[in-house]
Amino acid sequence: MRFHLLTASVSLFMACASAMWLDTNNDTTIVEATNLIVDGVLDYYDGKNYGGVVGMFVWPYYWWEAGGVWGSLIDYTYFTQNDTLVPLIKEALLYQTGDDNNYVPLNQSTTEGNDDQGFWGIAVMGAAERNFSNPDDDSKAWLTLAQAVFNTMTARWDSAECNGGLRWQIFQWNSGYDYKNSVSNGCLFHIGARLARFTANDTYVDWAEKVWDWMYDIGLLDVVNSNDKDYWFVYDGLTIDNNCSNITKYQWTYNQGLMLSGCAYLYNYTEDQKWLDRTLNLLNASQVFFMKIGSVMYEAACQPSNNCNNDQRSFKAYFSRFLGMTAVMVPQTYDGIRQWLVDSANAAAKNSCTGGTDGHTCGLNWFNSTGWDGYWGLGEQISALEVIQNLRVRDFPPPLTANTGGSSKGNPAAGYSTLHTITSPLELETKDLAGAGIITAVVGVSLVAAGVWLVI
Ligand SMILES: *[C@@H]1O[C@H](CO)[C@@H](O)[C@H](O)[C@H]1NC(C)=O
Ligand SMILES: *[C@@H]1O[C@H](CO)[C@@H](O)[C@H](O)[C@H]1NC(C)=O
Ligand SMILES: *[C@@H]1O[C@H](CO)[C@@H](O)[C@H](O)[C@H]1NC(C)=O
Ligand SMILES: *[C@@H]1O[C@H](CO)[C@@H](O)[C@H](O)[C@H]1NC(C)=O
Ligand SMILES: *[C@@H]1O[C@H](CO)[C@@H](O)[C@H](O)[C@H]1NC(C)=O
Ligand SMILES: *[C@@H]1O[C@H](CO)[C@@H](O)[C@H](O)[C@H]1NC(C)=O
Ligand SMILES: *[C@@H]1O[C@H](CO)[C@@H](O)[C@H](O)[C@H]1NC(C)=O
Ligand SMILES: *[C@@H]1O[C@H](CO)[C@@H](O)[C@H](O)[C@H]1NC(C)=O
Ligand SMILES: *[C@@H]1O[C@H](CO)[C@@H](O)[C@H](O)[C@H]1NC(C)=O
Ligand SMILES: *[C@@H]1O[C@H](CO)[C@@H](O)[C@H](O)[C@H]1NC(C)=O
């Protein structure tokens, strides 16, 4: 179905007036809208192509993003109560576990980053919480896989530089090994928070706390006080040279969302006031990712300058998912988040998912009433999918735990036996440097850090 890709740009010149119908209070329209969008998602699925790879999406979408997409589709089957895609999703999740069942498959192992592994870990964590159809093989149970990801990540905790933290890259031969970033550490924090709640094992809380403290002490989490309110921001990352003080202050929706929802899970599980405060402060700061206060979601660091790369074009998907989780885990945040999701979903459906030859290809900018912006791709599709399907986040039971009927089997020691089986780099010269979120591709746009964004 590459035709879809090729013709999408051509159809820019066609008058396609068929707006996607969405009434945010009518579940039928939500289901119909998400069905149409998912149809577009599957156009990019490589696993159904002759000679294609199960679990992967077509070039130029990297392995990590596939992990993101499967997470979106697990929720899609849940929010629509539609099992049609369950076998396809299950096959993908199981095919990509790697020989060690820890989401470091051989094909990816020379280029894989901690964040890449983390996004597959988040997908299987969601499968456990949604009671997604269990595999026959217990060593590939969703919870066990999530624990293997968590355990292998904690084993890479690096106290030698910057007093701790995960590096971006797993392997030292990769560009980015000298960078410690929020998405890698945020994935560890986030998965730890969800494992804590699912298993009621406080060791995961201790780890989440340790990651949070490190990110705060080193300056990746920053508190800005404005009008007597605290706003917590999450910066991209830092290089370990220059005494770990060279912080790249880009702000991405998915980093804010990883930390926000992680805090929400931790509050839900521990009921410790400090996680509530952190949830609310991160939530307040999240307003920088809405076009106007209480309006339409956008990727503030790259969208206004039209410089979002393929990875970044999918970030709003995860942010929407994380906002939905937060609304459920900390019910007092529901109303505010609901308003953001309603405004953003309406904008996506009316202004953006009206493109392509099919008339419902989704674009990148949702806020422009002149319609579809001519962008199309896997990231655009799943972003629209997530923002719309999370309107239903309260219509079904909250994420399960082992005590509330979650049936996925766990193994707290998963992954430990595989820690030293690191593949050696065979062809360093030809390695694919374009892993998840290559930071150098980000252009010099105005940063969202400053208080000016917050003067209301
Ligand atoms: C919800 O939307 C469906 C499909 O557009 C429509 O048939 C139905 O009448 C709507 N229900 C309500 C209560 O408006
Ligand atoms: C169930 O999901 C499939 C795959 O997205 C879709 O084609 C089908 O229309 C859905 N069924 C219903 C009843 O919504
Ligand atoms: C690894 O790559 C080969 C060659 O493209 C492919 O046949 C195989 O299915 C891939 N395995 C995984 C787990 O992606
Ligand atoms: C967050 O924002 C809301 C509404 O603007 C406000 O009521 C609340 O006090 C803020 N919370 C914090 C911790 O600043
Ligand atoms: C490096 O940073 C630490 C902690 O911020 C500080 O104590 C130390 O003096 C710094 N060293 C140099 C050489 O700047
Ligand atoms: C800070 O890090 C950026 C990359 O993140 C790099 O381009 C820049 O040269 C570094 N600055 C210093 C002073 O090392
Ligand atoms: C935890 O989440 C559940 C499900 O939404 C909710 O009923 C409960 O009130 C939450 N607990 C706290 C402490 O907010
Ligand atoms: C809206 O789209 C039109 C046409 O593509 C463009 O000229 C305009 O600058 C856009 N407005 C915003 C706010 O991006
Ligand atoms: C979860 O799935 C298992 C196995 O299919 C089932 O026995 C159990 O009832 C399900 N739990 C819930 C809460 O639906
Ligand atoms: C709790 O989790 C830790 C960390 O993975 C593990 O070592 C420990 O065995 C677990 N405890 C129980 C009772 O499962």
Side-chain angles (χ1 to χ4, degrees):
M1 288 298 278
R2 309 274 179 106
F3 291 160
H4 182 78
L5 298 179
L6 295 170
T7 51
S9 52
V10 176
S11 64
L12 235 183
F13 304 102
M14 297 169 54
C16 258
S18 56
M20 175 171 284
W21 176 241
L22 178 71
D23 171 352
T24 57
N25 291 315
N26 180 331
D27 294 340
T28 311
T29 70
I30 295 174
V31 170
E32 285 170 356
T34 55
N35 283 348
L36 284 176
I37 295 171
V38 164
D39 211 35
V41 171
L42 295 177
D43 281 350
Y44 299 96
Y45 184 40
D46 196 39
K48 66 177 173 28
N49 296 335
Y50 180 73
V53 177
V54 171
M56 298 284 282
F57 288 79
V58 297
W59 186 88
Y61 301 108
Y62 298 117
W63 182 77
W64 85 274
E65 190 166 339
V69 175
W70 298 121
S72 300
L73 291 179
I74 289 166
D75 276 358
Y76 162 73
T77 65
Y78 186 72
F79 290 139
T80 58
Q81 300 282 296
N82 177 344
D83 286 347
T84 308
L85 295 183
V86 168
L88 180 128
I89 298 168
K90 188 173 175 178
E91 179 188 41
L93 292 173
L94 295 177
Y95 190 75
Q96 290 293 334
T97 60
D99 296 338
D100 294 333
N101 292 332
N102 60 3
Y103 287 112
V104 188
L106 199 55
N107 285 357
Q108 309 301 331
S109 59
T110 54
T111 57
E112 189 169 332
N114 279 301
D115 51 346
D116 305 341
Q117 188 190 22
F119 266 80
W120 283 83
I122 289 169
V124 284
M125 191 68 231
E129 291 174 343
R130 300 298 192 203
N131 210 28
F132 196 73
S133 170
N134 289 310
D136 299 330
D137 178 356
D138 280 351
S139 66
K140 288 174 182 270
W142 311 128
L143 178 60
T144 298
L145 290 170
Q147 287 170 313
V149 168
F150 178 87
N151 289 340
T152 50
M153 287 177 86
T154 56
R156 295 183 204 114
W157 188 259
D158 170 47
S159 302
E161 305 280 357
C162 315
N163 299 317
L166 286 178
R167 293 166 181 266
W168 176 20
Q169 293 300 315
I170 297 177
F171 303 110
Q172 62 194 31
W173 56 80
N174 282 330
S175 150
Y177 187 70
D178 63 351
Y179 196 66
K180 293 195 170 181
N181 59 4
S182 286
V183 65
S184 296
N185 289 282
C187 281
L188 179 61
F189 172 76
H190 176 93
I191 295 170
R194 290 170 74 174
L195 285 172
R197 179 175 170 277
F198 194 100
T199 64
N201 179 339
D202 288 340
T203 308
Y204 297 116
V205 178
D206 297 342
W207 259 107
E209 188 104 38
K210 176 171 168 166
V211 180
W212 175 278
D213 289 347
W214 178 77
M215 288 178 73
Y216 178 67
D217 290 343
I218 207 76
L220 289 177
L221 295 173
D222 197 11
V223 194
V224 176
N225 187 274
S226 173
N227 291 333
D228 281 338
K229 286 184 191 167
D230 283 343
Y231 298 85
W232 288 83
F233 291 116
V234 187
Y235 299 135
D236 186 86
L238 50 87
T239 51
I240 61 175
D241 50 6
N242 296 305
N243 204 14
C244 305
S245 63
N246 179 12
I247 296 179
T248 304
K249 291 195 168 179
Y250 296 119
Q251 288 176 250
W252 304 108
T253 53
Y254 75 158
N255 282 335
Q256 192 82 21
L258 277 169
M259 302 310 294
L260 169 70
S261 51
C263 290
Y265 267 89
L266 287 168
Y267 177 62
N268 194 275
Y269 172 59
T270 65
E271 299 191 14
D272 182 339
Q273 178 72 27
K274 90 181 159 201
W275 294 116
L276 177 62
D277 293 342
R278 289 166 182 179
T279 302
L280 296 179
N281 291 335
L282 282 160
L283 188 64
N284 274 2
S286 298
Q287 68 191 35
V288 298
F289 299 115
F290 292 83
M291 201 54 191
K292 300 185 194 85
I293 306 302
S295 188
V296 180
M297 187 189 297
Y298 75 130
E299 196 61 52
C302 61
Q303 239 182 265
S305 55
N306 289 321
N307 275 302
C308 298
N309 67 22
N310 274 325
D311 291 330
Q312 293 152 5
R313 283 153 62 183
S314 72
F315 290 175
K316 295 200 296 293
Y318 323 120
F319 187 43
S320 299
R321 194 194 308 167
F322 298 147
L323 284 171
M325 289 171 183
T326 302
V328 169
M329 287 297 125
V330 183
Q332 70 207 78
T333 66
Y334 178 81
D335 289 344
I337 289 174
R338 169 85 189 172
Q339 194 57 53
W340 279 344
L341 293 176
V342 164
D343 289 350
S344 300
N346 274 325
K350 293 196 175 68
N351 299 335
S352 186
C353 293
T354 61
T357 46
D358 58 9
H360 49 256
T361 293
C362 302
L364 185 61
N365 301 317
W366 296 340
F367 49 80
N368 193 335
S369 58
T370 59
W372 182 51
D373 59 4
Y375 282 93
W376 39 269
L378 186 58
E380 285 83 342
Q381 289 302 120
I382 58 166
S383 294
L385 170 66
E386 289 271 22
V387 80
I388 293 173
Q389 73 186 8
N390 273 286
L391 294 169
R392 304 209 67 189
V393 80
R394 254 200 190 171
D395 295 351
F396 303 101
L400 296 173
T401 68
N403 287 327
T404 59
S407 61
S408 188
K409 293 205 175 69
N411 172 6
Y416 282 137
S417 62
T418 64
L419 289 177
H420 301 291
T421 59
I422 289 179
T423 320
S424 64
L426 296 176
E427 293 174 273
L428 290 194
E429 268 59 52
T430 60
K431 72 180 185 288
D432 179 6
L433 280 179
I438 282 272
I439 186 63
T440 49
V442 178
V443 289
V445 292
S446 61
L447 302 174
V448 194
V452 287
W453 286 81
L454 302 169
V455 178
I456 302 165

